[in-house]
Amino acid sequence: MSESNRREFLATGTAALAAAAIAGVASAQESKPAKRPSAMPAAAGMGAVITQAIPGAIDANGKWTLPPLPYAYDALEPHIDAQTMQIHHDKHHAGYVKGLIACEEKLAEARTTGDFSLVEHWSKKLSFNGGGHFLHCIFWDSMGPNGGGDPTGALARKIAADFGSVAAFKAQFSAAAKAVEGSGWGILGYQVAGAKLTVLQGQNQNLLSQWGVVPLLAIDVWEHAYYLKYQNRRADYVDAWWNVVNWQAVGKRFEMLEH
Ligand code: MN3
């Protein structure tokens, strides 16, 4: 990400990323407000890039929405079964979107009435449901029926630079995903503050993040993501999951942020 884009990113901060990723970085920049070029409307520039980087999270009216799966329920067979995909997308992800909207409504209500007695409850739920919504958007987009293989181009070079090699990255990512304590995620993210890639172990949907990391590639290791087919064998699911990774989509997301 160039310095001008970075400033624009911090200044524009759409709701999706302002909430999910950049709060810590943005606060550090408050003393130096960025200037948006006058010819550029607020909806363009990095704001629009970020909206695309978390695909389908928000609709044209600015409302959080459940994006349709970009492929059929059975498209990832035999690695991920159709029934798991259907329940996961239509029930679990839909629930997080509904929850996120409800949290925002409750907090708006609190601002209207001035009654903030439940602000801790709704703030925690906001984090949980928002994390669920954004990570699932990345998850669906990170997979595809013609997946597998290795990353190419700028993403491959960046992975090699930041992790030593693609093989070393995959080994760390797999180990992190397999070792998540309880429900959570393995995440390859782009740390805006340092323009570096990093691997995170997400707990639930929202814990163990760093501030300022935009997820590029994510594997859901909640039991609902694999239990029908793999039962307790999470490691087998993680190993098989590499066969459905859509590196083109991940690379495209990386290039949006990097340039
Ligand atoms: Mn899930």
Side-chain angles (χ1 to χ4, degrees):
M1 186 182 289
S2 72
E3 186 54 32
S4 61
N5 274 356
R6 194 191 313 279
R7 282 200 303 273
E8 180 67 18
F9 173 97
L10 294 168
T12 309
T14 62
L17 272 228
I22 66 167
V25 179
S27 65
Q29 297 283 326
E30 274 168 9
S31 58
K32 288 190 292 178
K35 198 172 166 220
R36 182 180 295 118
S38 55
M40 189 180 288
M46 280 306 288
V49 169
I50 297 307
T51 303
Q52 290 169 41
I54 305 204
I58 197 162
D59 70 14
N61 300 314
K63 195 171 162 59
W64 302 125
T65 186
L66 177 67
L69 264 191
Y71 34 75
Y73 295 124
D74 64 358
L76 307 183
E77 298 263 14
H79 307 294
I80 304 181
D81 62 285
Q83 191 185 9
T84 294
M85 290 295 288
Q86 183 165 11
I87 296 170
H88 197 175
H89 177 271
D90 295 3
K91 303 296 181 190
H92 291 274
H93 187 175
Y96 302 132
V97 177
K98 208 172 144 196
L100 176 58
I101 293 168
C103 291
E104 290 190 340
E105 287 171 356
K106 288 293 182 184
L107 288 163
E109 202 178 299
R111 292 192 297 276
T112 302
T113 62
D115 177 1
F116 288 104
S117 55
L118 292 177
V119 70
E120 183 182 2
H121 172 79
W122 291 117
S123 298
K124 283 180 178 168
K125 291 285 186 193
L126 183 74
S127 167
F128 176 80
N129 285 293
H133 181 33
F134 306 130
L135 284 177
H136 282 91
C137 288
I138 296 292
F139 181 57
W140 310 129
D141 192 66
S142 296
M143 301 186 290
N146 301 308
D150 282 327
T152 55
L155 176 61
R157 290 192 291 276
K158 182 66 170 164
I159 287 176
D162 288 354
F163 295 100
S165 67
V166 169
F169 153 71
K170 281 185 163 180
Q172 181 183 340
F173 185 98
S174 286
K178 292 172 185 177
V180 167
E181 188 177 18
S183 299
W185 295 77
I187 299 165
L188 169 67
Y190 182 83
Q191 171 52 269
V192 172
K196 282 184 191 299
L197 297 175
T198 187
V199 169
L200 300 176
Q201 276 186 317
Q203 267 185 8
N204 290 340
Q205 329 258 36
N206 47 338
L207 307 176
L208 302 188
S209 177
Q210 300 167 1
W211 298 112
V213 174
V214 181
L216 300 176
L217 169 71
I219 179 173
D220 189 333
V221 294
W222 284 56
E223 287 183 347
H224 67 225
Y226 63 86
Y227 215 81
L228 290 179
K229 182 177 174 68
Y230 294 92
Q231 293 84 48
N232 61 317
R233 291 172 286 112
R234 182 197 285 179
D236 291 352
Y237 158 66
V238 172
D239 291 338
W241 177 81
W242 289 110
N243 293 310
V244 297
V245 170
N246 178 352
W247 283 112
Q248 255 193 324
V250 181
K252 196 174 138 207
R253 197 164 15 263
F254 167 69
E255 288 180 33
M256 279 181 209
L257 297 166
E258 179 76 356
H259 298 293

